[in-house]
Amino acid sequence: MDPDDYLMLSGIQHFAFCRRQWALIHIEQVWKENVLTFGGRQMHRNADDPFFTESRGDVLISRSVPLVSHALKIYGVADVVEYHRSDSGIVIPGREGHWTVVPVEYKAGKRKPDDRDEVQLCAQAICLEEMYRTRIEYGYLYYGKTRRRTEVALDDELRRRVAELVAGMYVLYDAGTTPPAVLLPHCKNCSLVELCMPAVSSRRRSVDRYLATCIGRDDA
């Protein structure tokens, strides 16, 4: 596959949250801003500066780092990648010693009840591992609402979850399929709820089931 045809890494958070949302954005090219997505863009804007590298003691900080994984066939950009001086790790041209690679993903709100943030961070780490030929054991999620960052262990279970999600993304993308709408509690926080119309779709399915039941009784 041509790398230009790879899927966007950032889509994995949409897919983990709702497969229909992912399809609306990445297959049907639909997008609508809400206060949550606007806050997220502002948070990313503060982190993104592709020409800036900061040094804080034994930590180097690079922003807006391009990413790619040919194994997963995804590409994207990491908000921040930190390089911690260590006894082992990668060698950075122009810098002495060895460095451990640590991805940091910025989020505007607070920690989610699901794993959508964790899988995005893990996908970034997998890209960095492939690019640097190293192993990354952990990363951080920084939440703007709490102004704290949470360490995330990048274990085998989370890595399998990432691989399964990306595989699922490709299944829908290759088929050009958008899943039907299903009304769930988290729909109220979705930026596409007015375009997706899960409540209308759910009522329509209920009517269809009712009509099918009535027809079945008449046939009996």
Side-chain angles (χ1 to χ4, degrees):
M1 176 185 290
D2 190 319
D4 289 340
D5 295 327
Y6 288 179
L7 293 178
M8 293 178 62
L9 183 157
S10 59
I12 197 170
Q13 65 174 320
H14 303 135
F15 199 79
F17 175 72
C18 172
R19 298 190 175 200
R20 177 172 171 82
Q21 184 200 65
W22 177 87
L24 289 172
I25 295 171
H26 297 274
I27 295 177
E28 300 190 20
Q29 303 292 304
V30 173
W31 178 252
K32 187 174 181 180
E33 191 89 280
N34 70 0
V35 66
L36 298 178
T37 58
F38 177 77
R41 285 198 302 104
Q42 293 298 107
M43 180 66 67
H44 283 271
R45 184 173 297 169
N46 292 336
D48 288 351
D49 183 349
F51 304 105
F52 182 77
T53 298
E54 179 182 355
S55 178
R56 297 181 183 176
D58 289 336
V59 178
L60 300 176
I61 303 171
S62 292
R63 306 181 188 279
S64 194
V65 179
L67 302 173
V68 65
S69 169
H70 298 294
L72 291 177
K73 296 181 175 57
I74 55 176
Y75 74 96
V77 176
D79 287 340
V80 171
V81 177
E82 295 182 351
Y83 304 88
H84 297 193
R85 189 185 297 276
S86 61
D87 295 331
S88 62
I90 68 168
V91 174
I92 299 177
R95 301 283 183 174
E96 295 183 358
H98 293 82
W99 305 81
T100 298
V101 183
V102 181
V104 183
E105 173 66 15
Y106 281 68
K107 298 296 181 183
K110 58 184 180 180
R111 192 168 185 177
K112 314 294 192 304
D114 53 40
D115 65 356
R116 78 190 90 152
D117 293 342
E118 285 80 2
V119 294
Q120 183 180 8
L121 180 69
C122 187
Q124 293 176 0
I126 291 171
C127 290
L128 290 166
E129 288 179 334
E130 190 173 327
M131 293 163 60
Y132 286 115
R133 298 183 180 180
T134 188
R135 174 78 176 184
I136 301 175
E137 301 294 344
Y138 66 94
Y140 291 102
L141 290 167
Y142 178 89
Y143 291 100
K145 190 167 185 177
T146 60
R147 296 186 178 276
R148 293 182 179 180
R149 65 184 196 176
T150 301
E151 182 175 318
V152 178
L154 307 174
D155 56 28
D156 290 340
E157 182 178 355
L158 187 56
R159 292 166 184 269
R160 286 192 295 270
R161 168 78 167 148
V162 169
E164 291 169 358
L165 289 170
V166 173
M169 287 160 55
Y170 268 102
V171 168
L172 291 187
Y173 189 81
D174 290 341
T177 301
T178 299
V182 178
L183 182 61
L184 296 171
H186 65 218
C187 289
K188 63 180 181 294
N189 294 324
C190 178
S191 61
L192 301 181
V193 65
E194 293 179 3
L195 299 172
C196 176
M197 297 186 294
V200 174
S201 298
S202 295
R203 286 196 296 270
R204 184 182 298 126
R205 284 195 297 275
S206 296
V207 171
D208 290 343
R209 284 195 296 269
Y210 173 76
L211 292 174
T213 300
C214 291
I215 292 171
R217 288 173 180 171
D218 292 341
D219 290 343

